[in-house]
Amino acid sequence: MSSKSELIISKIRNGVVIDHIPAGRALLVLRLLGISGREGFRVALVMNVESRKLGTKDIVKIEDKELTKDELNLVALVAPTATVNIIRDYEVISKFKVSIPDVIEGLLKCKNPRCITNQQREPVRNRFRVVSREPLKLVCEYCGTIHELSDIEKYFGLA
């Protein structure tokens, strides 16, 4: 890429950079992380940039934000190719690839309205087992309902 076509985004002092997000999914990643822009975090969002690995990709930089294990699991579900860079004092102190866990617990809602996890009388924590990573398929361990990426997008109001 020539210097005239390079995209310049300033470094962040502390925070996280999520790179190698499949093109078009950065907004979903932000939604999953609960970031709307009103929280006060400085956020840089780059979509559909060239990538040798993916063809095109999205990148999200969030200043002064640390990701929890649950947040990393959500990112992995919708962006399994993502890498996470932890930044401290403008330097990358840790870099790792996200991975989809075998079980997702307490992060999503079952789409089956009759599932015990959706009943008011018995508070039961949702639990999904990953049955396929590509394409993504989760099964509710209580009622057996299959969930796909589009169901996660609907749950977070993006479909």
Side-chain angles (χ1 to χ4, degrees):
M1 195 170 355
S2 72
S3 61
K4 290 183 180 184
S5 64
E6 286 184 24
L7 185 61
I8 306 296
I9 297 177
S10 64
K11 289 184 174 186
I12 58 175
R13 181 182 191 123
N14 297 300
V16 64
V17 176
I18 307 168
D19 196 358
H20 300 105
I21 300 168
R25 293 202 188 153
L27 293 174
L28 178 57
V29 167
L30 288 174
R31 187 66 159 277
L32 291 171
L33 297 176
I35 296 175
S36 66
R38 294 183 216 93
E39 300 79 16
F41 298 117
R42 182 175 300 167
V43 177
L45 172 67
V46 183
M47 297 179 75
N48 296 309
V49 295
E50 292 177 17
S51 166
R52 280 176 280 161
K53 198 190 294 188
L54 300 174
T56 57
K57 67 178 180 178
D58 294 352
I59 304 168
V60 173
K61 290 185 176 189
I62 311 165
E63 194 162 43
D64 296 324
K65 168 85 173 152
E66 293 190 21
L67 299 180
T68 66
K69 183 179 177 184
D70 285 346
E71 289 172 326
L72 289 169
N73 287 341
L74 286 172
V75 170
L77 288 176
V78 302
T81 55
T83 55
V84 175
N85 298 280
I86 307 300
I87 312 296
R88 296 284 177 270
D89 292 321
Y90 300 104
E91 298 295 326
V92 176
I93 63 157
S94 176
K95 180 177 183 172
F96 55 92
K97 190 175 180 335
V98 297
S99 62
I100 299 173
D102 294 329
V103 174
I104 304 294
E105 191 169 358
L107 300 179
L108 303 170
K109 181 178 177 181
C110 183
K111 67 181 178 181
N112 177 358
R114 299 184 72 195
C115 180
I116 191 168
T117 61
N118 291 322
Q119 305 305 312
Q120 297 290 331
R121 62 183 179 269
E122 290 186 52
V124 178
R125 192 170 160 95
N126 307 41
R127 187 174 166 92
F128 298 90
R129 189 172 26 86
V130 177
V131 293
S132 171
R133 285 173 167 73
E134 191 58 44
L136 180 67
K137 287 188 193 267
L138 311 173
V139 64
C140 175
E141 289 200 346
Y142 294 98
C143 71
T145 300
I146 300 288
H147 295 72
E148 298 176 345
L149 179 60
S150 61
D151 298 311
I152 295 170
E153 292 171 338
K154 286 176 192 167
Y155 179 71
F156 285 94
L158 292 173

